Amino acid sequence: MQMNKCNADHASQGKKSRIPNEGVSNESESDFLKQRLMKRLSNLYEKIYNIENLNLADERARKRKAHQYGVQQHDKNRKKNIHALHVMLKAKTYFTSPYTTFIIHEPKERLIFRLPYFPDRIIHHAVMNVLEPIFTSMFTADTYSCIKGRGIHGAAYAVRDALKDVDGTQYCLKLDIRKFYPSIDHEILKALLRRKFKDADLLWLLDEIIDSAEGVPIGNYLSQYFANFYLTPFDHWLKEIKRVKYYFRYADDIVILHSDKDALHQLLNDIKNYLQSQLRLTVKNNYQVLPVTARGIDFVGYVFYHTHTRLRKSIKQNFARMIARNKNAASIASYNGWAAHADTNHLLKKLLNQTV
């Protein structure tokens, strides 16, 4: 069942100087989260290998990729390939293809994994055609990455809205998780999936995909959902057990706002303990508890203050370089999308030499 944001956001915080546990024992906490998260589902696997679903997966996987070699090769025998997918999934003879890897350096260095279009990327979309609404229904309203209708700008809007409560958002706890995707523990992830799904054939397929690489490989379509799912108990723990009012997560980048910095330091210790003991994850050492008015909140490409919002410096620099290099309509529209969610009139006038 999807968490009602109003219920979590308006839960009582008691005294301002602390973030309470509301006297919930560890056993009660486990039972509470189990009731929220884990109504077990079955009879899903046949929906995945259904021919209509595989055709839909093919259509979705190829969007904006029709020029790619893998798509063009697949299209030479498209109908035959879709039937082959149906047969191998029904017979459970599918195995993940070998990965190719490459490194990107923006916004930071990452190792990216890539699978062939056929059969793997089509299969991933076929799985998510069926599982995406189930996963999304379990997420709290406070996580934004790779979720339809949320994303970066949904997170930006939510932070700006929270900052209207000036007294309640004087301080910010900002943290992320050390090597999040590579650190996801396969056995914990599979155990969490078994608390939600009891379809043995579906679990076989998910296990095959999970065990195809260490951690969760960045670049797989399924990985972004596995990553969100992996942190879902943590999200619910923060909202429903710790009663955190202002919480925002984009992948593993986390922002929590509160009136009292001591309460945030206390919460930081609890978060470290929870992530390590429950999910075998480690908070990166660059965490901060900072005053919002003096420092601003650097999150999802923006720097948020109570009175205004700026674009992150690196994005402004990239915008300026793009303008200097090639002032084309498509690129300008892309950056205008970012700028529309910040206070950027002066910046746009300077860069575009136009009245806005």
Side-chain angles (χ1 to χ4, degrees):
M1 183 174 71
Q2 186 172 12
M3 174 62 187
N4 184 318
K5 184 177 181 181
C6 294
N7 290 343
D9 283 358
H10 293 93
S12 170
Q13 289 203 358
K15 295 181 180 179
K16 283 190 175 182
S17 61
R18 60 188 292 267
I19 299 175
N21 284 321
E22 295 291 307
V24 180
S25 68
N26 288 337
E27 183 178 359
S28 297
E29 178 174 315
S30 176
D31 291 344
F32 185 90
L33 292 176
K34 189 179 293 185
Q35 290 171 12
R36 281 283 186 184
L37 297 173
M38 301 303 174
K39 180 180 178 181
R40 297 181 73 211
L41 302 175
S42 60
N43 301 319
L44 297 171
Y45 189 67
E46 290 183 9
K47 296 179 182 179
I48 292 171
Y49 67 72
N50 177 281
I51 289 289
E52 290 183 3
N53 183 55
L54 293 174
N55 279 317
L56 177 61
D58 185 20
E59 290 296 327
R60 291 179 171 175
R62 71 176 51 239
K63 283 185 179 177
R64 296 179 293 278
K65 299 180 179 69
H67 65 284
Q68 292 184 357
Y69 176 79
V71 178
Q72 293 176 349
Q73 290 299 111
H74 165 64
D75 282 349
K76 293 177 180 180
N77 295 287
R78 188 175 181 183
K79 187 173 180 179
K80 182 179 178 181
N81 285 345
I82 293 297
H83 179 72
L85 284 180
H86 171 78
V87 170
M88 73 173 70
L89 286 173
K90 185 174 182 179
K92 296 198 294 184
T93 57
Y94 165 74
F95 294 98
T96 301
S97 302
Y99 287 94
T100 58
T101 61
F102 59 96
I103 295 174
I104 63 170
H105 298 277
E106 292 292 340
K108 59 184 178 182
E109 185 174 298
R110 288 190 177 95
L111 181 64
I112 306 299
F113 291 73
R114 181 165 53 197
L115 285 169
Y117 181 79
F118 172 85
D120 307 273
R121 282 152 60 187
I122 298 174
I123 286 177
H124 285 205
H125 277 266
V127 170
M128 289 315 304
N129 286 347
V130 176
L131 298 193
E132 182 180 8
I134 298 169
F135 281 144
T136 302
S137 71
M138 299 167 65
F139 301 153
T140 72
D142 315 279
T143 181
Y144 295 89
S145 64
C146 307
I147 300 174
K148 292 175 183 176
R150 300 188 196 179
I152 286 172
H153 298 315
Y157 175 84
V159 173
R160 292 179 68 170
D161 190 54
L163 289 171
K164 294 175 184 177
D165 177 9
V166 176
D167 291 340
T169 58
Q170 286 293 301
Y171 294 93
C172 169
L173 168 60
K174 189 173 186 296
L175 62 94
D176 60 348
I177 296 169
R178 183 178 178 275
K179 296 183 179 179
F180 173 48
Y181 273 67
S183 297
I184 290 176
D185 185 282
H186 287 193
E187 296 311 309
I188 293 175
L189 175 57
K190 289 191 280 189
L192 289 171
L193 288 166
R194 280 158 174 76
R195 290 172 61 191
K196 184 60 183 176
F197 303 107
K198 57 182 178 181
D199 186 324
D201 292 335
L202 169 64
L203 291 168
W204 164 81
L205 177 59
L206 297 180
D207 286 355
E208 160 56 35
I209 294 169
I210 290 167
D211 290 333
S212 65
E214 292 186 8
V216 168
I218 299 173
N220 273 4
Y221 180 55
L222 264 170
S223 293
Q224 59 201 23
Y225 291 94
F226 282 152
N228 266 340
F229 177 75
Y230 195 76
L231 286 178
T232 293
F234 170 71
D235 297 334
H236 283 270
W237 172 76
L238 277 176
K239 294 300 294 184
E240 297 157 12
I241 303 303
K242 303 302 291 183
R243 296 291 193 263
V244 173
K245 184 175 183 180
Y246 297 124
Y247 168 59
F248 313 92
R249 179 171 68 80
Y250 191 91
D252 65 315
D253 290 332
I254 292 169
V255 163
I256 297 172
L257 306 177
H258 198 266
S259 60
D260 186 336
K261 65 179 179 181
D262 291 334
L264 290 178
H265 281 290
Q266 173 189 319
L267 181 63
L268 173 62
N269 288 330
D270 293 342
I271 287 172
K272 288 180 178 180
N273 290 335
Y274 181 97
L275 290 175
Q276 181 59 50
S277 65
Q278 301 298 316
L279 299 174
R280 295 181 188 167
L281 297 173
T282 303
V283 173
K284 198 181 293 185
N285 286 331
N286 64 350
Y287 60 81
Q288 302 175 70
V289 175
L290 55 91
V292 173
T293 299
R295 298 273 302 279
I297 307 162
D298 189 338
F299 184 56
V300 295
Y302 299 92
V303 182
F304 301 92
Y305 297 85
H306 289 110
T307 55
H308 61 286
T309 303
R310 296 176 178 171
L311 283 177
R312 181 181 288 159
K313 183 178 179 180
S314 61
I315 292 177
K316 289 190 289 185
Q317 291 172 336
N318 290 339
F319 195 179
R321 292 189 192 108
M322 181 276 297
I323 292 292
R325 185 172 60 247
N326 182 16
K327 191 174 178 179
N328 65 77
S331 297
I332 290 172
S334 174
Y335 279 98
N336 275 339
W338 282 91
H341 297 269
D343 301 295
T344 55
N345 279 2
H346 177 72
L347 174 68
L348 292 176
K349 288 177 183 178
K350 182 178 178 180
L351 292 179
L352 302 177
N353 191 26
Q354 67 180 28
T355 302
V356 293

